Amino acid sequence: MRVLLVEDDLTTARGISLMLKQSSMIVDTADTGEEAVELARLYDYDIVILDLMLPDIDGSEVVRRLRAARIETPVLILSGVSRPQTKVKVFGMGADDFITKPFDQQELVARIQAIVRRAKGFSQPTLSVGPLNLNLGSREVTVAGRTVHLTGKEYAILELLALRKGVVMTKEAFLNHLYGGIDEPEVKIIDVFICKLRKKLAQAGATDLIGTVWGRGYVLRDPASGRGSAWQPASAGAPAPAADMRAA
């Protein structure tokens, strides 16, 4: 799960980043509203955690600009301001949740997971695709009740695919999600991760869940939807032709 944290206080930002990273989230930070809007335009975040008191523009203005630009990334306000009228204002702008500082770490992580699940169309704490189940809280993966042991990178790839079920993810998107633009290896490492992930899932009884769209990337498909379904690329609204789908 990739998070954009918008907080101008360096100590607070470091503390929250460490907290989220301990929960296996990838965290990018911004200390101004303008930078936050620009990053949200450029990258595919699962959620934006936003302070209201920023040095350049108010956090509510950040939310307004995101929604005006049709950026639908969920926004969680994390602020020391607790006035009801402030909450009403940001909710009216398009924010998804509001937590007042100081906050409980476990509650913050739980709310992030719940918001992201709902935004991706999952109401339960477990993501289910065919026989595959991912528990976002415990990071446990099972296939028909059988535990699948994954490395951190393998889990991150599978989680990204599950949260964007039916959407073609490019190898560059995986690299950006896994490494955040820092010391990224060659793009072919994604093929290696996918190969190992497929093998582990197949050994547990889940075959053909991860499809290859040649020249574009990978997609997690729901067996219940059938092999002929159209898959939408992450960067465009046009569906991928069914003929493009192959097993890698």
Side-chain angles (χ1 to χ4, degrees), residues 50-92:
L50 176 66
D51 185 23
L52 291 180
M53 307 297 289
L54 298 172
D56 54 346
I57 57 177
D58 186 78
S60 61
E61 175 63 13
V62 174
V63 178
R64 190 197 67 78
R65 292 189 188 184
L66 292 178
R67 299 307 183 231
R70 298 192 177 183
I71 297 172
E72 298 179 355
T73 306
V75 176
L76 168 62
I77 303 298
L78 193 61
S79 175
V81 179
S82 60
R83 294 189 299 271
Q85 55 268 39
T86 300
K87 296 181 180 181
V88 170
K89 179 181 179 180
V90 294
F91 281 131

Side-chain angles (χ1 to χ4, degrees), residues 12 84 104 141:
T12 302
D104 178 78
V141 177

Side-chain angles (χ1 to χ4, degrees), residues 1-247:
M1 191 179 299
R2 189 170 184 186
V3 177
L4 174 60
L5 172 63
V6 189
E7 171 63 65
D8 65 315
D9 183 86
L10 184 59
T11 301
T12 302
R14 285 176 176 172
I16 296 175
S17 294
L18 179 60
M19 182 188 308
L20 299 180
K21 288 175 181 178
Q22 288 174 341
S23 296
S24 301
M25 299 182 192
I26 298 168
V27 184
D28 293 344
T29 59
D31 56 10
T32 66
E34 296 284 359
E35 182 184 10
V37 173
E38 183 63 23
L39 287 174
R41 289 176 183 270
L42 291 174
Y43 300 107
D44 184 19
Y45 292 103
D46 292 299
I47 191 169
V48 175
I49 300 177
L50 176 66
D51 185 23
L52 291 180
M53 307 297 289
L54 298 172
D56 54 346
I57 57 177
D58 186 78
S60 61
E61 175 63 13
V62 174
V63 178
R64 190 197 67 78
R65 292 189 188 184
L66 292 178
R67 299 307 183 231
R70 298 192 177 183
I71 297 172
E72 298 179 355
T73 306
V75 176
L76 168 62
I77 303 298
L78 193 61
S79 175
V81 179
S82 60
R83 294 189 299 271
Q85 55 268 39
T86 300
K87 296 181 180 181
V88 170
K89 179 181 179 180
V90 294
F91 281 131
M93 292 290 187
D96 297 87
D97 202 352
F98 196 114
I99 296 182
T100 304
K101 299 176 183 176
F103 56 88
D104 178 78
Q105 175 180 346
Q106 292 182 334
E107 179 186 359
L108 175 61
V109 172
R111 289 213 197 184
I112 290 172
Q113 293 171 343
I115 292 169
V116 172
R117 284 200 317 270
R118 290 196 301 269
K120 303 301 182 181
F122 296 93
S123 60
Q124 300 298 321
T126 300
L127 310 185
S128 298
V129 181
L132 175 69
N133 289 279
L134 286 80
N135 188 305
L136 292 180
S138 64
R139 294 169 58 86
E140 293 178 335
V141 177
T142 61
V143 172
R146 182 179 177 182
T147 300
V148 181
H149 299 285
L150 302 179
T151 66
K153 291 289 192 297
E154 290 166 354
Y155 176 84
I157 287 175
L158 186 59
E159 182 187 73
L160 182 63
L161 285 168
L163 287 171
R164 291 158 176 77
K165 180 182 65 175
V167 176
V168 178
M169 303 301 300
T170 66
K171 296 176 186 178
E172 291 76 15
F174 283 117
L175 279 180
N176 194 269
H177 183 78
L178 294 175
Y179 299 97
I182 300 175
D183 297 327
E184 290 186 358
E186 293 185 15
V187 70
K188 62 184 179 182
I189 192 65
I190 300 302
D191 297 320
V192 176
F193 286 140
I194 292 289
C195 181
K196 292 180 178 178
L197 183 54
R198 280 175 168 159
K199 182 177 180 180
K200 290 183 178 181
L201 292 176
Q203 289 174 341
T207 59
D208 299 326
L209 284 181
I210 303 175
T212 299
V213 181
W214 293 112
R216 292 165 64 187
Y218 297 102
V219 60
L220 186 70
R221 53 194 177 200
D222 191 339
S225 66
R227 295 180 63 87
S229 299
W231 307 106
Q232 290 190 350
S235 58
D244 285 348
M245 296 299 300
R246 303 287 191 276

